[in-house]
């Protein structure tokens, strides 16, 4: 037997022994392919949509936010034309999210940072989005999260056999603790109050079972008042930043026709790096019909280089995998 064949035989044998002694993580049944659009989070209907297949729900949320804004403007005594609004979209980019955090803090210090009508976030942008949405009062927490943490505050490496026996090469339990520390009940209540004024906070994940991007209305979840609303928001933020293979996916419990299932959600950057609204939605036409013409500005924070960064990649699995993840983060697709 050649050395190569001996190596392959030993590797497979070790793999079989390892798999025989260690159970891989379990899950509830995935939502059947024909039913994924009917799946709902128990007690929290209408808080998300599969954006490639359900633009009507996205439009519905936009219309409802406009009506809430009208009510708010009446309450505070606003008269005349609609005030100008600003929108913010925050991209993925891994630890490059420090750029976006620093930009927002510096924007506050410059004195001309607007209040955003809507904030959207993907991946590391999803982690930034709640702080950006709530405004300068949350700059100290945002600065702390992106300037004082170390890799150990994000993940704990697993052994090499995790590739065969687990659902990610690293355990992101430290990131869960970090998110739970900063995204607490007081933040949830603040998000709900802003949502009631007609503002939107949207975060995208990727449903890995359906290979579909999912947009979550975080404000609607906060306003829902469900006992598990805060837990769901934690799950969404972690899922949106969970690079497939590197970190464990997030399992989200859903119901389909009264039967429990689980969806597997991972990094929103697996399907797009930044989003505003679906290209199929004619915003100009909608605003004309509503009589909602106004000045609008869109700001996009891109947490990565716009041009590819060249590197000579060594022929080692870990280096190839790491470079591939960098390519995922660098991907400039958007919608």
């Amino acid at each position: 037997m050649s050395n190569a064949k001996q190596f392959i035989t030993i590797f497979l044998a070790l793999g079989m022994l390892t798999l025989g002694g260690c159970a891989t993580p379990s899950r509830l049944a995935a939502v059947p392919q024909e039913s994924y659009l009917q799946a709902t989070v128990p007690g929290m209907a209408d808080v998300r949509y599969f954006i490639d297949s359900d633009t009507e729900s996205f439009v519905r949320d936009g219309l409802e936010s406009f009506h809430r804004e009208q009510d708010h403007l009446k309450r505070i005594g606003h008269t005349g034309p609609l005030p100008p609004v600003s929108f913010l979209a925050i991209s993925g980019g891994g630890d490059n999210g420090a750029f976006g955090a620093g930009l927002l803090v510096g924007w506050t210090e410059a004195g001309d940072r607007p209040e955003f009508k809507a904030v959207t976030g993907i991946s590391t942008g999803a982690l930034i989005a709640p702080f950006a949405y709530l405004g300068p009062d949350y700059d100290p927490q945002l600065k702390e999260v992106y300037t004082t943490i170390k890799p150990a505050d994000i993940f704990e490496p697993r052994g090499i056999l995790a590739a065969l026996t687990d659902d990610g090469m690293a355990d992101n339990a430290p990131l869960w603790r970090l998110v739970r520390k900063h995204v607490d009940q007081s933040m949830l209540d603040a998000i709900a109050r802003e949502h009631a004024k007609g503002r939107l906070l949207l975060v995208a994940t990727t449903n890995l079972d359906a290979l579909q991007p999912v947009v979550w209305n975080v404000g609607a979840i906060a306003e829902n008042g469900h006992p598990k609303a805060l837990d769901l928001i934690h799950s969404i933020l972690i899922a949106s930043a969970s690079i497939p293979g590197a970190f464990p996916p997030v399992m989200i419990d859903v119901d389909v026709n009264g039967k429990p299932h689980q969806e597997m959600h991972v990094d929103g950057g697996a399907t797009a790096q930044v989003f505003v609204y679906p290209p199929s939605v004619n915003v100009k036409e909608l605003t004309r019909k509503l009589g909602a013409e106004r000045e609008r500005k869109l700001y996009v924070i891109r947490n990565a280089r716009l041009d590819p960064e060249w590197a000579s990649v060594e022929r080692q699995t870990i280096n190839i995998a790491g470079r591939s993840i960098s390519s995922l983060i660098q991907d400039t697709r958007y919608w």
Side-chain angles (χ1 to χ4, degrees):
M1 183 182 293
S2 69
N3 289 338
K5 289 182 178 179
Q6 286 178 336
F7 174 79
I8 293 172
T9 302
I10 294 170
F11 179 80
L12 291 175
L14 287 172
M16 290 175 68
L17 287 171
T18 303
L19 291 173
C22 300
T24 55
S26 61
R27 61 170 296 180
L28 295 181
V31 176
Q33 181 179 357
E34 67 277 7
S35 303
Y36 77 91
L37 288 176
Q38 284 74 53
T40 59
V41 178
M44 288 180 273
D46 300 325
V47 297
R48 57 108 184 245
Y49 20 88
F50 290 83
I51 201 64
D52 282 351
S53 310
D54 186 19
T55 56
E56 289 184 5
S57 294
F58 188 95
V59 171
R60 177 206 66 216
D61 264 10
L63 294 176
E64 289 178 357
S65 75
F66 174 66
H67 294 313
R68 290 195 306 275
E69 182 189 11
Q70 284 184 310
D71 292 340
H72 172 67
L73 291 173
K74 288 179 182 178
R75 286 194 299 271
I76 64 175
H78 175 83
T79 58
L82 291 168
V85 288
S86 297
F87 300 82
L88 177 65
I90 312 174
S91 83
D95 55 7
N96 287 321
F99 166 78
L103 189 152
L104 285 164
V105 173
W107 202 347
T108 298
E109 294 174 355
D112 58 352
R113 174 177 162 183
E115 177 183 85
F116 301 106
K117 162 72 174 175
V119 176
T120 69
I122 281 182
S123 195
T124 193
L127 300 178
I128 296 171
F131 302 100
Y133 178 76
L134 292 176
D137 287 347
Y138 282 78
D139 281 359
Q141 290 189 49
L142 179 61
K143 186 176 180 179
E144 177 184 344
V145 169
Y146 276 93
T147 62
T148 66
I149 61 172
K150 307 177 294 297
D153 298 314
I154 301 298
F155 66 90
E156 298 168 352
R158 290 170 170 167
I160 191 65
L161 289 179
L164 296 173
T165 63
D166 226 315
D167 55 359
M169 294 303 297
D171 183 351
N172 60 355
L175 180 59
W176 278 96
R177 291 192 291 269
L178 188 69
V179 168
R180 286 173 177 141
K181 173 186 174 182
H182 290 283
V183 182
D184 56 13
Q185 186 62 46
S186 64
M187 177 181 269
L188 187 77
D189 295 340
I191 291 171
R193 288 193 296 270
E194 296 306 311
H195 179 79
K197 297 176 184 177
R199 300 177 62 213
L200 289 170
L201 174 57
L202 306 176
V203 166
T205 63
T206 298
N207 181 320
L208 202 57
D209 296 317
L211 288 181
Q212 291 279 338
V214 181
V215 170
W216 299 83
N217 188 330
V218 177
I221 298 170
E223 191 180 49
N224 179 276
H226 193 280
K228 294 186 177 180
L230 186 58
D231 290 339
L232 177 60
I233 290 174
H234 291 157
S235 294
I236 293 164
L237 296 178
I238 295 292
S240 188
S242 294
I243 300 170
F247 300 127
V250 175
M251 307 308 298
I252 294 181
D253 294 332
V254 296
D255 282 346
V256 180
N257 299 321
K259 295 182 179 180
H261 294 76
Q262 276 186 328
E263 296 173 341
M264 181 179 288
H265 286 258
V266 298
D267 198 326
T271 45
Q273 277 298 308
V274 66
F275 75 101
V276 183
Y277 59 84
S280 59
V281 175
N282 189 331
V283 173
K284 185 176 181 179
E285 180 64 17
L286 282 172
T287 54
R288 186 190 64 79
K289 288 181 178 179
L290 285 171
E293 289 91 349
R294 68 203 305 182
E295 181 184 345
R296 293 179 175 84
K297 291 182 180 179
L298 169 64
Y299 298 93
V300 178
I301 296 178
R302 182 71 175 101
N303 291 305
R305 293 173 59 101
L306 295 177
D307 57 319
E309 187 174 3
W310 187 91
S312 176
V313 183
E314 295 182 22
R315 291 187 64 177
Q316 292 181 334
T317 301
I318 192 67
N319 290 312
I320 294 170
R323 184 66 171 168
S324 299
I325 290 172
S326 296
S327 176
L328 170 69
I329 294 171
Q330 179 68 38
D331 191 341
T332 56
R333 286 177 295 170
Y334 63 91
W335 41 270

